[in-house]
């Protein structure tokens, strides 16, 4: 049954509640709660410098995820994926069983061992990208595959970056410089996947 009060609200309207506050949109950025003690994160969570590493604030839970970083200033650096418990206070990463990282020398390390070597070595000004589909972690240099896939990654992982000796990296989790491979997309928070 239709009520009079409902009709009154429809015809006359409710009192103006004022501006509607939209919930802050949550973006993937570097996580200031998961970084090394000498690591510096600036530019709203999109630049890492100092010494040590940092994880992104979202795990790679979707089927096919993609992210990028630009080498703004050379030095010692790395990019890849890591488990949430990885030690982030020292560089380089890839020395334990909790991270899989492409180092600035073009080699991918895991558990202290070289897993594979990229066909090109990234330089200052280059864009290094990662795609991950829970089967393979792949690296790209300026939009072209480095042909150094990594397999055997298990468990929950996050994007990870490390810097040392003056390196500065700018990370991108959306608005990419190069298009992701077919079927891959920016990292989404778990609640956005439902």
């Amino acid at each position: 049954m239709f009520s009079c009060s409902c009709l009154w609200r429809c015809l006359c309207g409710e009192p103006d509640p004022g501006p509607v506050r939209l919930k802050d949109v949550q973006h993937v950025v570097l996580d200031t709660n998961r970084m090394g003690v000498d690591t510096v994160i600036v530019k709203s969570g999109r630049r890492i410098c100092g010494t040590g590493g940092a994880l992104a604030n979202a795990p790679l839970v979707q089927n096919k995820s993609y992210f990028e970083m630009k080498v703004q200033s050379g030095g010692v650096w790395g990019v890849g994926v890591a488990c949430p418990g990885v030690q982030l206070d020292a560089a380089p990463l890839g020395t334990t069983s909790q991270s899989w990282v492409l180092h600035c020398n073009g080699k991918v390390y895991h558990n202290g061992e070289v897993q594979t070597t990229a066909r090109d070595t990234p330089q200052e000004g280059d864009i290094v990208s990662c795609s991950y589909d829970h089967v393979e972690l792949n690296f790209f240099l300026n939009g072209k595959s480095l042909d150094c896939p990594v397999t055997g990654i298990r468990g929950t992982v996050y994007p990870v970056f490390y810097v040392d000796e003056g390196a500065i990296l700018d990370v991108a989790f959306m608005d990419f410089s190069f298009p992701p491979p077919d079927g891959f997309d920016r990292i989404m928070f778990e609640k956005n996947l439902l």
Side-chain angles (χ1 to χ4, degrees):
M1 174 149 203
F2 192 73
S3 79
C4 284
S5 65
C6 180
L7 178 62
W8 181 257
R9 280 194 307 262
C10 289
L11 294 175
C12 300
E14 292 284 327
D16 183 9
V20 176
R21 292 192 62 151
L22 296 176
K23 230 180 179 181
D24 289 336
V25 177
Q26 194 171 15
H27 294 288
V28 179
V29 294
L30 295 172
D31 192 342
T32 56
N33 294 314
R34 292 184 181 174
M35 64 183 222
V37 294
D38 293 324
T39 306
V40 179
I41 295 176
V42 293
K43 292 186 77 173
S44 301
R46 294 186 310 263
R47 176 172 282 179
I48 180 172
C49 49
T51 299
L55 297 176
N57 63 345
L60 302 176
V61 293
Q62 72 205 60
N63 288 339
K64 295 182 174 188
S65 47
Y66 177 83
F67 57 95
E68 291 180 343
M69 62 124 219
K70 181 175 184 178
V71 182
Q72 287 291 358
S73 181
V76 175
W77 56 265
V79 59
V81 298
C83 299
V86 69
Q87 176 56 256
L88 298 167
D89 290 331
L93 294 177
T95 57
T96 70
S97 64
Q98 294 192 347
S99 59
W100 297 260
V101 179
L102 171 69
H103 288 205
C104 54
N105 64 4
K107 296 179 180 177
V108 179
Y109 290 85
H110 169 66
N111 215 14
E113 297 178 5
V114 175
Q115 300 296 298
T116 184
T117 301
R119 60 182 168 91
D120 291 315
T121 304
Q123 304 295 317
E124 191 171 300
D126 284 339
I127 306 280
V128 178
S129 313
C130 298
S131 68
Y132 180 66
D133 64 3
H134 300 274
V135 175
E136 278 187 353
L137 171 64
N138 285 286
F139 297 94
F140 301 83
L141 178 62
N142 299 321
K144 297 190 184 334
S145 176
L146 284 172
D147 296 322
C148 58
V150 178
T151 59
I153 299 171
R154 301 277 185 259
T156 300
V157 293
Y158 292 74
V160 68
F161 307 85
Y162 80 81
V163 291
D164 199 7
E165 296 182 19
I168 299 172
L169 306 177
D170 283 350
V171 302
F173 299 105
M174 55 191 280
D175 300 327
F176 302 119
S177 297
F178 295 95
D182 287 341
F184 287 81
D185 202 357
R186 65 185 176 91
I187 300 165
M188 292 186 274
F189 285 94
E190 193 168 10
K191 68 181 180 183
N192 293 340
L193 296 173
L194 300 176

